[in-house]
């Protein structure tokens, strides 16, 4: 049996992990086993969202390691050479995986470790990063500053390397296996990568994270983000929307389950009668396995995936959040992000609209058999 090495780096979230595993499951075959090494990191969070572990799937293995890669200028030049001249999609010896764009830093790091030579046949794989995959300069620059709190030199460096990172390394010419879920075509048209979507969906369905099997299907799944922790909204504003949402749901006789972000303080949700799902699984796994009747959130990527993967209508309540005008401006100022959200997510504009949706939920919701067929 032929063994192909695979490497991924700058892997931060369970969503990144799911993307890698979905691709490995698709690529590996009985005749070619894939042995993957996945370098995880915190990505600016206080702690790693992923743990070191060894996983086995059909014809592949994946080792998650909390390790960093360093490289010098000579290694970077070798990486450029390999990217341009030694790629081989048909018979690769090594898969180099990155999210959003080709992982040039990883290639350089592998040269520094002696894991690649100038004769190595590599193939590049790009998985989905989330909504940031499709964003332009303004959105990504603000996210970079928010997550890293860089000084002026780091900001200047970011601006200098941005054209390479976000244009050249996203070129389809340099990507051998494009595992991003949505493609931007000419004239702003959007198309879905149905092969990748199907494999992502299968991966989420197989997620056996603790807490998933023990939970009942909720009426409403609320997907939250660390908006307070990141300083994007005030605590009092966030408490206001949770209080009103809780009252509105109870008035409609509906239960609310919260899928919180790992970087959030979960205690706040219990104060408003919400059940917090004690699971490290992704929001997509929960949607797939628990089949909520309604999905609500703010600006999470999972709102988009709810629609394109599971045909479960998702709604953004970001406009209902007091003090979120600046956050909405940051999000929807980017034309690519705005186009994707308006295409796949319903944006609720006021409380009366949400109340009408909840009031009609029982009559209009599909039954379990219908939902299973749709998924």
């Amino acid at each position: 049996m032929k063994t192909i090495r695979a490497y991924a780096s700058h892997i931060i979230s369970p969503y990144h992990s799911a993307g890698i595993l979905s691709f490995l499951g698709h690529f590996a075959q009985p005749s070619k086993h894939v042995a993957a090494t996945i370098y995880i990191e915190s990505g600016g969070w206080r702690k790693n969202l992923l743990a070191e572990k060894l996983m086995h799937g059909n014809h592949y293995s994946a080792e998650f390691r909390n390790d960093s890669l360093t490289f010098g200028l000579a290694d970077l030049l070798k990486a450029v050479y390999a990217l341009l001249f030694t790629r081989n999609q048909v018979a690769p010896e090594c898969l180099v995986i990155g999210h959003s764009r080709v992982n040039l830093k990883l290639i350089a790091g592998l040269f520094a470790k002696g894991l690649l030579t100038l004769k190595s046949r590599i193939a590049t794989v790009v998985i989905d990063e989330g909504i940031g995959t499709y964003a332009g300069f303004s959105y990504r620059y603000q996210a970079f500053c928010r997550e890293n709190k860089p000084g002026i030199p780091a900001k200047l460096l970011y601006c200098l390397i941005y054209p390479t990172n976000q244009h050249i390394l996203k070129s389809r010419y340099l990507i051998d296996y494009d595992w991003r879920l949505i493609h931007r075509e000419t004239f702003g048209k959007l198309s879905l990568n149905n092969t990748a979507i199907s494999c992502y969906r299968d991966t989420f369905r197989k997620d056996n994270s603790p807490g998933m099997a023990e939970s009942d299907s909720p009426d409403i799944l609320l997907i939250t983000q660390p908006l307070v922790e990141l300083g994007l909204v005030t605590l009092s504003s966030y408490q206001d929307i949770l209080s009103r949402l809780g009252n509105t749901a109870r008035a409609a006789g509906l239960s609310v389950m919260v899928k919180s972000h790992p970087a959030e303080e979960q205690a706040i949700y219990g104060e408003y009668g919400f059940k917090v799902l004690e699971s490290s699984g992704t929001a997509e796994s929960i949607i797939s396995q628990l089949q909520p009747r309604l999905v609500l959130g703010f600006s999470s990527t999972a709102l988009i995936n709810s629609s394109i993967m599971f045909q479960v209508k998702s709604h953004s309540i970001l406009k209902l959040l007091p003090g979120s005008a600046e956050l909405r401006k940051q999000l929807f100022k980017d034309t690519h992000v705005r186009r994707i959200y308006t295409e796949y997510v319903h944006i609720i504009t006021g409380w009366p609209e949400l109340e009408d949706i909840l009031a009609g939920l029982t009559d209009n919701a599909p039954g379990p058999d219908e939902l299973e067929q749709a998924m």
Side-chain angles (χ1 to χ4, degrees):
M1 178 187 299
K2 180 180 179 181
T3 297
I4 298 174
R5 297 293 304 174
Y7 298 92
S9 69
H10 193 56
I11 302 305
I12 301 168
S13 70
Y15 184 70
H16 293 160
S17 171
I20 295 171
L21 298 179
S22 70
F23 175 79
L24 295 180
H26 171 77
F27 181 85
Q29 298 176 7
S31 60
K32 57 180 181 183
H33 178 268
V34 180
T37 301
I38 300 168
Y39 298 99
I40 62 175
E41 56 183 82
S42 65
W45 300 112
R46 288 173 300 190
K47 60 180 181 179
N48 281 2
L49 305 182
L50 295 171
E52 291 188 323
K53 57 185 176 181
L54 178 63
M55 297 184 65
H56 294 277
N58 288 333
H59 316 301
Y60 75 83
S61 61
E63 180 187 8
F64 290 75
R65 297 174 54 182
N66 185 13
D67 198 359
S68 59
L69 293 170
T70 58
F71 56 87
L73 179 59
D75 302 309
L76 186 59
L77 294 175
K78 292 177 183 177
V80 173
Y81 176 88
L83 192 58
L84 294 176
F85 301 112
T86 69
R87 290 190 3 257
N88 189 320
Q89 183 180 13
V90 177
E93 299 171 331
C94 176
L95 301 172
V96 181
I97 304 172
H99 51 72
S100 176
R101 59 188 181 273
V102 171
N103 200 338
L104 183 64
K105 290 182 179 180
L106 173 57
I107 301 174
L110 295 176
F111 271 108
K113 281 182 170 288
L115 297 173
L116 287 180
T117 71
L118 292 177
K119 294 183 179 181
S120 299
R121 300 190 307 271
I122 68 170
T124 59
V125 182
V126 176
I127 63 171
D128 202 83
E129 180 187 8
I131 191 61
T133 303
Y134 317 102
F137 173 77
S138 177
Y139 182 97
R140 297 192 68 92
Y141 177 75
Q142 290 172 351
F144 169 75
C145 293
R146 182 172 63 245
E147 294 170 5
N148 299 281
K149 298 178 174 54
I152 293 178
K155 290 180 180 179
L156 291 174
L157 180 61
Y158 181 88
C159 294
L160 286 173
I161 66 175
Y162 181 86
T164 298
N165 267 345
Q166 302 303 325
H167 293 290
I168 296 175
L169 294 180
K170 284 187 174 182
S171 167
R172 293 190 181 183
Y173 167 74
L174 297 178
I175 301 173
D176 296 310
Y177 297 97
D178 191 343
W179 215 239
R180 294 172 293 187
L181 300 182
I182 302 173
H183 291 156
R184 294 204 314 253
E185 309 293 350
T186 55
F187 305 110
K189 183 180 178 181
L190 301 174
S191 65
L192 298 179
N193 184 345
N194 289 315
T195 299
I197 288 173
S198 176
C199 293
Y200 267 81
R201 181 168 54 236
D202 290 343
T203 299
F204 291 131
R205 283 176 171 169
K206 296 173 184 175
D207 185 0
N208 58 357
S209 298
M212 197 85 74
E214 297 79 8
S215 299
D216 297 325
S217 177
D219 294 316
I220 301 170
L221 177 66
L222 175 63
I223 303 170
T224 65
Q225 299 163 262
L227 302 178
V228 175
E229 287 78 3
L230 291 173
L232 297 173
V233 298
T234 64
L235 177 60
S236 61
S237 295
Y238 200 58
Q239 289 172 324
D240 285 346
I241 193 172
L242 293 180
S243 176
R244 187 161 182 181
L245 177 61
N247 292 336
T248 303
R250 280 191 293 274
L254 302 172
S255 62
V256 179
M257 175 182 287
V258 171
K259 170 59 179 95
S260 63
H261 192 279
E264 282 187 280
E265 295 293 337
Q266 297 184 355
I268 187 174
Y269 298 109
E271 300 174 12
Y272 300 97
F274 301 150
K275 178 182 178 181
V276 180
L277 183 65
E278 299 292 340
S279 173
S280 58
T282 63
E284 289 85 355
S285 299
I286 296 166
I287 294 170
S288 171
Q289 297 186 36
L290 300 189
Q291 301 181 8
R293 295 161 64 188
L294 184 71
V295 176
L296 298 178
F298 298 99
S299 60
S300 172
T301 299
L303 295 178
I304 299 169
N305 291 342
S306 173
S307 173
I308 68 175
M309 287 185 192
F310 309 111
Q311 292 74 55
V312 176
K313 188 68 175 178
S314 57
H315 306 265
S316 171
I317 56 173
L318 186 60
K319 281 193 173 183
L320 308 187
L321 178 59
S324 65
E326 184 60 31
L327 175 57
R328 297 199 308 272
K329 180 181 177 182
Q330 293 178 18
L331 181 66
F332 296 117
K333 180 181 179 181
D334 188 290
T335 56
H336 304 304
V337 172
R338 183 171 66 249
R339 185 177 294 119
I340 288 173
Y341 259 94
T342 54
E343 178 76 17
Y344 301 112
V345 179
H346 175 235
I347 299 174
I348 294 175
T349 57
W351 284 101
E353 182 183 4
L354 178 59
E355 290 165 0
D356 288 343
I357 291 173
L358 298 189
L361 183 61
T362 302
D363 294 336
N364 298 326
D369 294 339
E370 295 174 279
L371 187 56
E372 181 64 28
Q373 291 174 5
M375 296 170 64

